[in-house]
Amino acid sequence: MFGTIIRVESHAKAMKTASKDQEIIAAALALNAPFVGRLRSRTLVSSRWFALIGQFITVLVVHFGFGFELPLMACLLAIGANSALNLVITIGIAPQRLVRQWEAAAQLTIDTLQLAFLLFLTGGIQNPFCLLLIAPATIAASILRPLWTLSILAITIVCVAFLAVYSYPLPWRPAGSFSVPLLYQVSAAFGIIVGLLFTAGYAWRVSVEESRLADALIATQEVLAREQRLAALGGLAAAAAHELGTPLATIQVTAKEMLRSLPQASPDLEDAQLILTQAQRCREILRNLTDHRHEPDLVTDMVPLGQLLEEVTQRHPDLGHKALLFDIEGPEGKNELLVRRSPSILYGMGNMFENAIHYANQAVTVAASWNQQHVKVTIMDDGPGFDEAILDRLGEPYVTTNLAAGSVAPHREGMGLGFFIAKTLLERSGATISFWNHEGAKKGAVVEIHWPYSAIAAKSFA
């Protein structure tokens, strides 16, 4: 069994708060310009054609099929005007182009007003198709920014209120025989408005969550891509060391032969000595590259678990006055575990270790254990611990990292986007992550990372 390994490090430097990863995340999230929407022109155009065809068929069936008297020309003109607008959009805007926010808002506003005008001609709030007024506002809530959505909601509410009081009579036989009390019409309008607000609010909430998750996943891919590029550089360095070793050895041997064959008074003696010295220097550089080839994040690398944890902590060397403790234990009589080494594991555990160092008071403990079923790594600090209010939400994107202000004993509010990225990368490696706080006299936060043995273990070795 491997006993406890303790290392205490002290540095004068304060921990750096800005990192290259934060710059990458900011650049990734800045790719989406604020004025560009998430909906293509073709989607709005095709949906509008579907609605207009439905309106046209409905008007004809009601007027000619059921024999109800409608202001037919006015209804067809309203449908024709919106059809002409849709045709202009179809011709003038490329179907694959993302519609800008103001363009989508303008089109949905026109759709709302056109539908309200049709309802005004055909009975107002008494018309059962009045529920369709909810559709444009719901679409706006799911694709537009709050300001544009609120403007469309306001227009829709005004239209519903107007239709509750003013409209042509509902087509019926005999004409004008169907009448609904004003109180009922107002109540129906109120119900539509409540349904409108609920549906739009629900659509907006779902859209915000989806958008945040999508942005966070983009940032995750950017960070992982950077780690993989660093890994590729390590592979190239090792390959260069291997390929250049043979020609450098040839140059070195040739330079030695030149030194032996040249007389002491020869003017070329100094040049031969320089060639030999520089060849030896090059071989020394290549030897250093070969000795440090474990530093790159090659997915196919296999290292002892203890060495993997050492490398994770060495990426964040500025501990200040805080101690770093290792506790690595394996099964009795078994060899040390050899594990797969990947950028996702290194980055994920490194992010959690960095947060532990940031919030620790005196020490951070990195513990590891394994058996034939699972491998477990635990990162513990003696800081204030996780805020109980958000403990169940850890791992969600955009949970802030600030300490709760105004508290006698400040707690950690969350790990933000960086923690989400770390958790996502570790879960992709097959890990399960859980968090809790120490109870009783021993305070601090605990992050436990658990892998199935087959997900991370390469083999055991002597």
Side-chain angles (χ1 to χ4, degrees):
M1 179 179 294
F2 297 90
T4 301
I5 304 173
I6 300 179
R7 187 184 77 194
V8 180
E9 298 186 10
S10 178
H11 297 269
K13 296 181 181 179
M15 175 171 283
K16 297 179 181 179
T17 56
S19 67
K20 184 65 176 178
D21 295 325
Q22 292 173 332
E23 297 176 7
I24 293 175
I25 291 171
L29 298 182
L31 291 176
N32 293 329
F35 55 84
V36 176
R38 294 180 293 131
L39 196 66
R40 299 191 184 279
S41 176
R42 179 177 58 187
T43 304
L44 278 176
V45 168
S46 59
S47 299
R48 188 174 298 108
W49 280 128
F50 180 78
L52 290 171
I53 292 172
Q55 292 173 3
F56 181 72
I57 294 174
T58 302
V59 167
L60 294 182
V61 169
V62 170
H63 185 76
F64 296 106
F66 296 141
F68 293 131
E69 290 294 329
L70 292 176
L72 186 60
M73 291 304 299
C75 292
L76 294 178
L77 283 175
I79 297 172
N82 208 4
S83 299
L85 175 63
N86 208 36
L87 187 60
V88 171
I89 295 173
T90 303
I91 297 173
I93 300 179
Q96 295 298 328
R97 184 172 76 83
L98 292 176
V99 180
R100 300 176 186 273
Q101 293 278 308
W102 68 268
E103 292 174 343
Q107 293 184 39
L108 292 172
T109 299
I110 292 173
D111 293 337
T112 301
L113 294 175
Q114 186 260 357
L115 180 58
F117 181 69
L118 275 180
L119 292 169
F120 171 76
L121 296 174
T122 57
I125 206 70
Q126 303 176 53
N127 192 320
F129 290 100
C130 198
L131 285 174
L132 293 176
L133 284 170
I134 295 177
T138 303
I139 295 174
S142 62
I143 64 171
L144 300 182
R145 298 191 179 278
L147 181 62
W148 295 112
T149 301
L150 289 175
S151 64
I152 295 176
L153 280 173
I155 292 172
T156 306
I157 291 173
V158 170
C159 290
V160 171
F162 179 83
L163 293 174
V165 181
Y166 303 102
S167 69
Y168 279 75
L170 182 70
W172 207 253
R173 288 194 304 266
S177 62
F178 187 88
S179 179
V180 175
L182 179 62
L183 179 60
Y184 182 85
Q185 296 187 51
V186 173
S187 300
F190 181 75
I192 292 174
I193 291 173
V194 171
L196 171 70
L197 295 176
F198 175 80
T199 306
Y202 185 82
W204 175 79
R205 179 64 180 175
V206 171
S207 175
V208 168
E209 291 295 330
E210 184 273 335
S211 179
R212 286 182 173 181
L213 186 61
D215 288 343
L217 288 175
I218 290 173
T220 302
Q221 296 293 341
E222 290 292 330
V223 170
L224 183 57
R226 174 176 175 265
E227 295 292 315
Q228 290 171 338
R229 285 195 295 270
L230 292 177
L233 288 177
L236 290 175
H242 176 74
E243 294 295 333
L244 293 176
T246 300
L248 281 175
T250 303
I251 295 173
Q252 189 173 0
V253 170
T254 304
K256 288 180 179 180
E257 293 298 327
M258 290 176 63
L259 286 175
R260 292 193 188 100
S261 60
L262 289 174
Q264 293 295 325
S266 174
D268 297 328
L269 185 64
E270 184 178 350
D271 293 336
Q273 183 64 45
L274 180 61
I275 292 174
L276 178 61
T277 303
Q278 295 302 312
Q280 292 173 341
R281 181 183 176 188
C282 289
R283 296 201 69 180
E284 184 66 26
I285 293 173
L286 294 180
R287 186 179 299 111
N288 291 335
L289 288 175
T290 305
D291 292 341
H292 291 84
R293 68 168 304 207
H294 65 275
E295 292 182 359
D297 304 333
L298 293 177
V299 178
T300 57
D301 278 357
M302 297 180 293
V303 296
L305 179 59
Q307 182 179 333
L308 181 71
L309 298 179
E310 284 274 355
E311 184 174 346
V312 167
T313 58
Q314 287 172 2
R315 293 185 168 204
H316 310 280
D318 297 329
L319 305 181
H321 63 282
K322 301 166 187 176
L324 173 59
L325 314 176
F326 286 94
D327 185 3
I328 304 174
E329 298 183 359
E332 188 71 33
K334 296 292 183 179
N335 297 323
E336 188 174 357
L337 180 67
L338 196 65
V339 297
R340 298 184 180 93
R341 184 170 161 279
S342 70
S344 57
I345 293 176
L346 289 170
Y347 180 86
M349 288 199 297
N351 181 277
M352 294 181 181
F353 173 76
E354 184 178 4
N355 277 281
I357 285 292
H358 180 70
Y359 288 102
N361 291 325
Q362 296 180 344
V364 172
T365 301
V366 179
S369 62
W370 71 90
N371 55 35
Q372 294 301 318
Q373 285 74 41
H374 68 269
V375 178
K376 183 174 66 176
V377 174
T378 305
I379 300 174
M380 300 169 283
D381 64 61
D382 59 353
F386 297 115
D387 189 345
E388 295 291 343
I390 55 92
L391 188 57
D392 293 337
R393 296 177 54 210
L394 285 180
E396 295 182 8
Y398 300 101
V399 178
T400 61
T401 61
N402 298 326
L403 293 177
S407 174
V408 176
H411 290 277
R412 183 165 19 201
E413 285 192 359
M415 299 278 188
L417 185 56
F419 188 75
F420 167 81
I421 293 174
K423 182 173 179 289
T424 300
L425 293 177
L426 287 172
E427 287 175 344
R428 288 186 177 184
S429 72
T432 302
I433 301 96
S434 55
F435 339 93
W436 66 87
N437 292 323
H438 281 298
E439 297 181 357
K442 188 177 181 180
K443 299 293 184 181
V446 180
V447 177
E448 183 179 279
I449 310 166
H450 178 280
W451 286 274
Y453 185 87
S454 59
I456 188 173
K459 62 180 180 178
S460 296
F461 72 103

